[in-house]
């Protein structure tokens, strides 16, 4: 009796696929339903950010940083402006109020980014309701962002030396603000988040047995592998490595604030999900402390800077804890008004190299869970 030998099937997932979170192409080989090989193919969204930065003045680069990780735009702005401020050394002293505003806006932006990361991953696995909830809650924050910065998604709000403008009158609100003011004051949103949003996610998805079955034990990344592959953010902390630049190498005013660093224990898709959920809770703690300080400490929000910015010759590497992990910027100055060189370190680009490691041995449906747990944004991958 002749038995036909099983032959592997090469399949393209993407680049136009709803669960690849952008124009990502995954080449996979299947033995039946089991994946034996996976390789990501990128470059479909290239926008020449690093080369464009060399043709622009230092302030003109800021809007381009928004468009790398466009789901966490203000975190990118923070990384770039702090890098340029390092080039100037003591010549630019960022006002304390601007530092607190930056941190508060960065943490609110982290919440919006994590909400979409969790909502899209849940929808990828078949749960539509969490995705609708994430849009509902993000829109409340976007309304606040629009009042503060003038933009809902891309902001150009941080400035070399501070921020563009102070907080509008009344937008801080009071600690007593409730759900009815969640899209009108920052206190209103934070109280709404603590009372409704976080418990809702925990009960609806995290505690759901079907979701746990789809994510626990899937895409396990050991601590040693996470470190060897330069993982960061929730991907690294999901594997149990307690490393967060806000704590380990503090920048801005993070060393004055109290918050915890959640870590997972198994390094699977579920732990990466859980870490993001808990990070939103810690961001809420940070925002509350910033609100209390800002309410009691008025002052300037911009340093005195020259009309034409020309940093002294030199180079600097600055990194921050972005929504997806370590975002870093390398800037070289030749003394002119334009950067001589800008190099961007994207955590999503780094994490995509984990796919060939995590996917083989799983079913084709598990690819969706693994990719969702990594949380890539192709805008910063193809920068």
């Amino acid at each position: 009796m002749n038995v036909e030998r099983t032959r592997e099937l090469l399949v393209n997932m993407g680049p136009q696929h709803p669960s690849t979170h952008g124009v990502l192409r995954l080449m996979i080989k299947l033995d039946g339903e089991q994946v034996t090989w996976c390789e990501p193919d990128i470059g479909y969204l290239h926008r020449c950010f690093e080369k464009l930065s060399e043709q622009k003045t230092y302030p003109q680069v800021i809007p381009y940083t928004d468009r790398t990780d466009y789901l966490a735009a203000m975190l990118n702005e923070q990384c770039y402006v702090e890098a340029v401020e390092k080039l100037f050394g003591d010549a630019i002293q960022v006002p304390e109020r601007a530092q607190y505003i930056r941190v508060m806006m960065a943490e609110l932006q982290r919440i919006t980014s994590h909400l979409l990361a969790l909502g899209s991953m849940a929808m990828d696995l078949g749960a539509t309701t969490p995705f609708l909830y994430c849009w509902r809650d993000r829109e409340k924050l976007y309304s606040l962002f629009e009042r503060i910065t003038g933009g809902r998604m891309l902001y150009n709000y941080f400035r070399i030396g501070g921020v563009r403008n102070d907080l509008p009158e009344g937008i801080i609100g009071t600690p007593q603000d409730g759900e009815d003011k969640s899209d009108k004051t920052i206190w209103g949103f934070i109280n709404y988040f603590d009372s409704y949003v976080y418990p809702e996610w925990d009960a609806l998805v995290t505690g759901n047995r079907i979701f746990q079955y789809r994510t626990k034990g899937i895409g396990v990344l050991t601590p040693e592998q996470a470190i060897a592959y330069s993982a960061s953010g929730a991907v690294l902390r999901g594997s149990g490595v307690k490393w967060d630049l806000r704590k380990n190498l503090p920048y801005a005013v993070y060393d004055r604030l109290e918050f915890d660093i959640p870590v997972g224990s198994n390094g699977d898709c579920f732990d990466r999900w859980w870490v993001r959920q808990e990070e939103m809770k810690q961001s809420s703690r940070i925002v509350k402390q910033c609100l209390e300080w800002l309410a009691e400490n008025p002052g300037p929000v911009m340093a005195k800077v020259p009309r034409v910015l020309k940093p002294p010759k030199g180079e600097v590497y600055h990194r921050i804890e972005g929504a997806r992990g370590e975002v870093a910027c390398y800037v070289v100055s030749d003394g002119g008004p334009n950067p001589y060189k800008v190099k961007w370190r994207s955590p999503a680009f780094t994490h995509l190299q984990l796919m060939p490691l995590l996917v083989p041995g799983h079913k084709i449906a598990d690819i969706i869970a693994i990719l969702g747990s990594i949380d890539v944004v192709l805008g910063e991958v193809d920068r």
Side-chain angles (χ1 to χ4, degrees):
M1 178 178 178
N2 293 325
V3 179
E4 184 179 350
R5 295 185 61 184
T6 302
R7 303 182 68 178
E8 290 183 328
L9 180 67
L10 179 63
V11 176
N12 283 308
M13 182 178 289
Q16 300 296 335
H17 189 287
S19 294
T20 55
H21 298 238
V23 281
L24 169 67
R25 175 187 178 214
L26 290 176
M27 296 179 289
I28 56 178
K29 286 182 180 179
L30 300 176
D31 183 358
E33 278 287 310
Q34 191 173 57
V35 183
T36 60
W37 175 83
C38 174
E39 184 172 307
D41 183 23
I42 62 175
Y44 295 91
L45 196 65
H46 185 56
R47 74 281 305 280
C48 205
F49 160 65
E50 294 171 340
K51 200 64 182 175
L52 277 171
S53 299
E54 299 172 17
Q55 314 302 319
K56 305 295 180 182
T57 64
Y58 284 92
Q60 287 175 336
V61 175
I62 299 173
Y64 290 92
T65 66
D66 281 331
R67 290 156 176 81
T68 51
D69 179 358
Y70 38 77
L71 300 179
M74 274 187 276
L75 287 158
N76 302 323
E77 293 181 17
Q78 183 181 22
C79 181
Y80 172 74
V81 299
E82 288 183 354
V84 178
E85 287 161 2
K86 272 187 176 180
L87 276 172
F88 278 95
D90 295 333
I92 293 181
Q93 297 292 331
V94 180
E96 198 172 15
R97 183 173 177 83
Q99 293 276 25
Y100 273 90
I101 291 175
R102 283 182 181 180
V103 168
M104 181 187 71
M105 297 298 281
E107 294 306 316
L108 290 173
Q109 184 83 90
R110 195 183 310 276
I111 291 175
T112 66
S113 178
H114 282 354
L115 279 174
L116 187 57
L118 300 182
S120 57
M121 180 178 172
M123 187 178 69
D124 289 347
L125 299 181
T128 306
T129 304
F131 187 67
L132 300 177
Y133 282 2
C134 96
W135 281 103
R136 175 197 66 187
D137 299 329
R138 289 171 79 244
E139 283 301 305
K140 296 178 184 296
L141 269 179
Y142 279 163
S143 295
L144 296 172
F145 289 165
E146 187 174 19
R147 283 184 58 196
I148 297 170
T149 71
R152 292 182 71 84
M153 191 171 179
L154 305 170
Y155 310 101
N156 190 20
Y157 178 61
F158 288 19
R159 289 290 186 271
I160 298 166
V163 293
R164 187 180 66 207
N165 54 267
D166 204 345
L167 299 174
E169 186 176 353
I171 201 166
I172 289 180
T174 68
Q176 289 73 43
D177 288 350
E179 181 184 0
D180 59 321
K181 293 188 176 179
S182 57
D183 60 347
K184 297 178 177 63
T185 69
I186 302 173
W187 266 116
F189 177 83
I190 290 300
N191 291 333
Y192 164 72
F193 176 86
D194 291 344
S195 301
Y196 296 97
V197 179
Y198 175 85
E200 200 169 51
W201 280 95
D202 198 44
L204 182 65
V205 188
T206 309
N208 186 290
R209 286 181 295 173
I210 299 173
F211 179 79
Q212 292 179 8
Y213 179 79
R214 289 292 311 274
T215 55
K216 285 191 172 182
I218 304 299
V220 175
L221 181 69
T222 67
E224 295 76 18
Q225 289 172 330
I227 294 171
Y229 278 75
S230 298
S232 57
V235 176
L236 176 66
R237 292 188 286 275
S239 296
V241 181
K242 198 170 186 178
W243 175 266
D244 189 310
L245 291 171
R246 296 171 295 174
K247 281 281 191 184
N248 298 93
L249 296 171
Y251 54 95
V253 291
Y254 280 108
D255 55 347
R256 309 180 196 178
L257 305 172
E258 294 183 3
F259 59 99
D260 299 321
I261 306 300
V263 295
S265 53
N266 299 314
D268 54 18
C269 291
F270 181 83
D271 278 357
R272 291 189 280 273
W273 164 284
W274 180 84
V275 166
R276 289 189 182 93
Q277 175 186 284
E278 295 303 307
E279 281 185 0
M280 293 195 298
K281 189 175 182 180
Q282 298 306 317
S283 291
S284 175
R285 286 181 62 190
I286 294 172
V287 171
K288 289 177 191 173
Q289 295 170 66
C290 291
L291 288 172
E292 291 168 355
W293 190 94
L294 290 167
E296 300 294 330
N297 295 275
V301 295
M302 263 301 289
K304 291 184 178 179
V305 298
R307 184 174 293 274
V308 178
L309 291 172
K310 293 183 178 181
K313 290 183 179 181
E315 58 184 1
V316 67
Y317 183 79
H318 182 66
R319 50 185 178 166
I320 69 164
E321 190 66 39
R324 277 152 197 81
E326 183 177 312
V327 178
C329 185
Y330 173 66
V331 185
V332 180
S333 169
D334 60 1
N338 304 342
Y340 175 77
K341 174 68 176 175
V342 172
K343 179 66 178 175
W344 200 256
R345 196 251 187 214
S346 154
F349 177 82
T350 304
H351 292 157
L352 269 181
Q353 68 180 328
L354 293 170
M355 292 299 288
L357 174 70
L358 300 180
V359 167
H362 290 295
K363 304 296 185 184
I364 188 170
D366 296 327
I367 297 177
I368 307 303
I370 294 170
L371 185 61
S373 73
I374 289 176
D375 184 23
V376 297
V377 169
L378 272 296
E380 69 170 9
V381 172
D382 297 337
R383 65 205 180 282

